[in-house]
Amino acid sequence: MQKSSTHDLSVAIIGAGMSGIAAAIKFGEQGYRDIVIFEKADRLGGTWRENTYPGLSCDVPSHLYSYAFEPNPNWSHLFSPGAEIQAYFESVAKKYDVERLMRFNKEVTSAEFENGRWHLTMHDGERTSADIVIAATGILHQPAYPDIDGIEDFAGASFHTARWDHSAALDNHRVGIIGTGSTAMQIVPAIIDRVASLSLFQRTPQWVFGIENPAYTEAERAEFNASPAKMKALYDHWAYRFNYRFGRAVIGDKVIADRIAELCLANLDENVHDSELKKKLTPNYVAACKRLIMSDEFYPAIQKPNAHLVTTAVEQIEKDGVRTKDGTLHKLDVLALATGFKAHAFMRPMRLVGRHGTTLEQAWAATNMTHRSISIPDMPNFFILIGPNSPVGNFPLILVAERQLDYIKQLIEPVRTGQCRAVAPQRAATEQFQQDVREAMQGTIWMSGCSSWYLDKNGIPVTWPWDFDRFEADMSAPDFSEYEMIA
């Protein structure tokens, strides 16, 4: 077969968020020139574009939540605000000249593999094709709305927190928030001093790690700018804390896990003084089984005189507010739904059809099955970033995406050099990987019995059950015996 080159292969990237930007940069550096990024929205940014709610920040330290190849010495805080993170991605896209590759308002509704290539259809009917497809669609971009009777009847402003309505008046109004995940925990401190009253409807209390969020001084930022070594040391410090401390706790290191629980309980005990409120805020499941909350502001905020923690289950939503099962009507002017995302949708609702007419719905009928988190049998030259069984609960996602991209670039090298036209995982290898995942998952914190967005429809965790060294080893180089080379 005649050899091809990176100039001959076309790459379609779906999504212009964190991983999509990284994919365009990495493939460009590899020599690929025919790269297009299709973005459903009108600008880049992914979850940092979608979320603009009050108090938004990342729960990973900013110096770690940065591309390894593009450290940012000018972060304002340890955990920087969302708008600053959005600006960072915009600046990186501009610096590396990948903005010109982006086509906005182009939602990919279907991708079909025919005659060795992927044929993509957009929501407006436009069709195009590509040799390689990278699904950089992320996991936290499709809001999940609660199934509560009467939700359409509420007379005030009502919206999902990922669709925050900034025209809704909060000052001196009665605000309700349904949900107590990371989003709600950030919003409550951000608005509590503005609103007349705030009712937080809690189904499950959270483990809260009381970490401060100090601002970096001008002197510190000057030092970061002057010393790349200082920046590298800071990155390595936080990478170790996450990858070899917290990352080990969630996969079964009981000593570290117990220490995390002790620190969270000490935070609760030291900062919440009312015994009844403390009881309501005390979790009854294993720490970090759900995503751990990082905040030193939530406990003080929920104790303000105008804050009300409502633990009685919601019965229905009415014109004037939320009625709980004890019959109480909690009157509200604004209702925010902090109810999370469809974390297991991945590329869907995009229609995906691979070889032999195999659809994604068929391939994932039982569970979201991938090989090494990035590829699917019968879906040649189609790769997912932050896909099922990626370490979303263990390690920083930028680091994860960068490692996966390095692996994918190696995996498609036989296609680039003309040894084959396409590569796809063997079904037997995929099934073995999934079996290994299930067996390793038994000792992890996610199998301790709590419910979280880490679990699929069958209650099975769809994350990474091993340590960081195993992830590094797996992503260091493909074992081509696990893959089918398609001529």
Side-chain angles (χ1 to χ4, degrees):
M1 181 181 293
Q2 184 179 1
K3 287 189 176 182
S4 61
S5 73
T6 53
H7 295 272
D8 298 324
L9 290 175
S10 56
V11 180
I13 300 169
I14 305 175
M18 173 274 291
S19 56
I21 293 168
I25 293 170
K26 293 273 190 179
F27 275 91
E29 291 175 343
Q30 191 79 358
Y32 291 83
R33 293 294 174 262
D34 189 354
I35 303 172
V36 180
I37 306 173
F38 296 101
E39 170 54 54
K40 65 182 180 181
D42 59 1
R43 62 189 182 114
L44 63 84
T47 192
W48 303 105
R49 176 199 62 234
E50 301 288 294
N51 289 276
T52 60
Y53 59 79
L56 171 66
S57 66
C58 186
D59 57 6
V60 174
S62 296
H63 284 283
L64 185 57
Y65 193 80
S66 307
Y67 296 121
F69 58 84
E70 189 59 31
N72 176 20
N74 297 311
W75 290 117
S76 66
H77 288 75
L78 176 61
F79 302 97
S80 296
E84 197 171 322
I85 299 170
Q86 171 70 14
Y88 168 75
F89 287 123
E90 290 172 347
S91 69
V92 171
K94 184 175 182 179
K95 176 178 178 178
Y96 288 84
D97 196 28
V98 297
E99 281 182 308
R100 62 183 176 82
L101 308 177
M102 298 177 182
R103 299 195 60 198
F104 298 112
N105 298 307
K106 288 293 180 181
E107 181 178 0
V108 179
T109 56
S110 74
E112 300 182 49
F113 188 77
E114 297 177 354
N115 300 319
R117 305 193 83 218
W118 285 97
H119 299 267
L120 281 59
T121 302
M122 312 297 151
H123 75 290
D124 59 4
E126 179 185 349
R127 289 179 58 84
T128 189
S129 60
D131 298 298
I132 309 291
V133 175
I134 306 294
T137 49
I139 55 174
L140 303 179
H141 64 104
Q142 294 188 35
Y145 288 85
D147 183 16
I148 302 175
D149 287 343
I151 197 166
E152 301 297 330
D153 298 334
F154 183 64
S158 177
F159 44 83
H160 193 281
T161 53
R163 302 288 184 268
W164 192 271
D165 182 358
H166 291 276
S167 69
L170 301 182
D171 293 349
N172 301 314
H173 283 71
R174 300 165 299 181
V175 177
I177 302 174
I178 294 179
T180 52
S182 298
T183 296
M185 298 295 196
Q186 292 180 348
I187 294 172
V188 171
I191 69 172
I192 190 63
D193 292 330
R194 296 174 54 190
V195 301
S197 67
L198 189 150
S199 298
L200 179 64
F201 296 91
Q202 172 185 281
R203 184 170 58 182
T204 308
Q206 301 288 339
W207 290 91
V208 181
F209 194 89
I211 190 168
E212 296 181 349
N213 186 22
Y216 289 112
T217 65
E218 289 187 14
E220 286 174 317
R221 291 198 296 272
E223 185 178 5
F224 295 150
N225 275 281
S227 175
K230 178 75 173 179
M231 289 284 290
K232 180 65 165 57
L234 194 57
Y235 181 93
D236 290 345
H237 165 77
W238 286 113
Y240 176 80
R241 293 280 297 272
F242 272 75
N243 299 340
Y244 293 102
R245 300 294 292 170
F246 181 75
R248 291 202 59 81
V250 295
I251 62 168
D253 190 317
K254 194 172 186 305
V255 172
I256 301 175
D258 287 348
R259 181 56 179 159
I260 290 173
E262 288 173 8
L263 290 171
C264 289
L265 288 175
N267 179 43
L268 175 63
D269 190 56
E270 292 168 8
N271 290 288
V272 179
H273 310 297
D274 179 87
S275 59
E276 281 302 310
L277 181 60
K278 185 180 295 185
K279 183 178 179 181
K280 291 178 179 179
L281 290 169
T282 302
N284 62 356
Y285 55 90
V286 178
C289 180
K290 297 175 182 287
R291 191 167 183 88
L292 199 66
I293 305 298
M294 306 284 190
S295 175
D296 66 341
E297 297 182 327
F298 173 72
Y299 286 153
I302 199 63
Q303 295 175 87
K304 293 287 182 76
N306 59 333
H308 310 285
L309 182 68
V310 182
T311 57
T312 306
V314 172
E315 175 72 28
Q316 63 186 36
I317 296 174
E318 301 177 7
K319 175 177 175 290
D320 294 325
V322 174
R323 190 175 296 277
T324 47
K325 288 188 180 293
D326 60 2
T328 302
L329 176 63
H330 303 265
K331 293 187 176 182
L332 303 171
D333 304 303
V334 178
L335 178 61
L337 306 173
T339 47
F341 298 85
K342 299 176 183 178
H344 302 281
F346 295 98
M347 302 82 68
R348 293 174 288 200
M350 183 181 77
R351 179 173 177 264
L352 185 64
V353 184
R355 285 195 305 167
H356 317 306
T358 301
T359 67
L360 181 64
E361 298 307 318
Q362 292 169 335
W364 284 3
T367 188
N368 295 349
M369 184 174 71
T370 60
H371 185 55
R372 305 210 176 278
S373 307
I374 62 168
S375 55
I376 308 168
D378 289 325
M379 303 290 174
N381 290 354
F382 186 97
F383 307 103
I384 314 167
L385 296 174
I386 319 296
N389 297 119
S390 291
V392 297
N394 314 40
F395 318 134
L397 290 189
I398 290 188
L399 183 152
V400 171
E402 289 182 327
R403 296 294 190 275
Q404 290 177 332
L405 279 165
D406 290 340
Y407 181 94
I408 292 168
K409 287 192 303 180
Q410 296 177 72
L411 185 56
I412 62 175
E413 186 67 7
V415 182
R416 186 187 72 84
T417 57
Q419 298 174 52
C420 62
R421 290 184 64 188
V423 60
Q426 295 182 9
R427 184 166 298 279
T430 304
E431 291 174 350
Q432 182 61 55
F433 174 72
Q434 290 295 315
Q435 178 62 29
D436 292 345
V437 167
R438 286 192 293 271
E439 291 176 359
M441 197 67 73
Q442 295 308 309
T444 69
I445 216 158
W446 303 297
M447 295 297 288
S448 60
C450 81
S451 175
S452 77
W453 62 264
Y454 296 134
L455 309 183
D456 68 9
K457 63 183 179 182
N458 303 311
I460 305 300
V462 188
T463 184
W464 186 259
W466 298 290
D467 62 17
F468 184 70
D469 288 339
R470 168 65 184 265
F471 182 67
E472 288 267 70
D474 272 20
M475 293 294 101
S476 63
D479 179 352
F480 284 98
S481 69
E482 300 173 349
Y483 293 89
E484 181 182 0
M485 304 300 169
I486 303 166

